[in-house]
């Protein structure tokens, strides 16, 4: 079962490759961030803070950011976990229509391409 956001275009922004994000035509940007690991890992925290700072700096409109952590250092991406996490996102973000999804690391990328596209 996949989660669909209607008009959503899933965008994978690889921070090291693209650098600052240019201002979008829509003054209200909605970003869903999905990290593979916990917010307690310094690498994840650094990636998150750098992305958010650059996004806010490069955008003149309102930026709404929602963040989720798969925590796959502690729990495997089993079919059961994927299904449960997908259902959780469906309920939590039922009214949230992201402009883009930003992912960090391979587990978040794989989850997002399979479940959210």
């Amino acid at each position: 079962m996949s989660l669909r956001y209607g008009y959503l275009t899933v965008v994978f922004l690889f921070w090291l490759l693209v650098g600052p994000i240019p201002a979008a035509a829509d003054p209200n940007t909605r970003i869903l961030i999905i990290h593979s690991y916990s917010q307690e890992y310094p690498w994840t925290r650094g990636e998150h803070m750098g992305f958010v700072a650059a996004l806010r700096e490069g955008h003149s409109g309102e930026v709404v950011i929602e963040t989720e952590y798969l925590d796959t250092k502690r729990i495997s991406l089993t079919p059961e976990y994927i299904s449960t996490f997908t259902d959780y996102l469906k309920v939590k973000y039922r009214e949230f229509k992201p402009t883009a999804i930003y992912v960090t690391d391979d587990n978040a990328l794989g989850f997002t391409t399979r479940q959210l596209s």
Side-chain angles (χ1 to χ4, degrees):
M1 177 182 297
S2 81
L3 176 63
R4 302 212 181 265
Y5 288 114
Y7 63 89
L8 171 66
T9 300
V10 178
V11 178
F12 300 104
L13 303 170
F14 294 97
W15 178 243
L16 295 175
L17 299 176
V18 284
I21 290 117
D26 180 0
N28 300 311
T29 299
R30 295 159 310 281
I31 306 292
L32 176 59
I33 299 174
I34 299 180
H35 295 292
S36 292
Y37 309 126
S38 168
Q39 65 270 29
E40 299 303 316
Y41 288 97
W43 182 89
T44 303
R45 190 177 316 113
E47 284 289 312
H48 182 83
M49 292 171 59
F51 174 75
V52 170
L55 180 64
R56 291 190 191 282
E57 182 179 304
H59 193 279
S60 59
E62 179 185 7
V63 179
V64 178
I65 298 171
E66 297 290 344
T67 306
E68 293 295 333
Y69 299 85
L70 287 169
D71 203 14
T72 58
K73 286 282 189 185
R74 289 184 252 202
I75 188 165
S76 297
L77 277 176
T78 64
E80 179 184 15
Y81 182 64
I82 290 169
S83 177
T84 301
F85 200 84
T86 301
D87 290 344
Y88 160 76
L89 293 178
K90 282 182 179 181
V91 171
K92 184 174 181 179
Y93 297 109
R94 145 183 32 228
E95 301 298 321
F96 184 75
K97 305 295 183 209
T99 307
I101 297 174
Y102 171 76
V103 301
T104 55
D105 219 312
D106 56 339
N107 289 332
L109 177 63
F111 173 83
T112 301
T113 57
R114 286 189 304 274
Q115 300 305 118
L116 304 183
S117 59

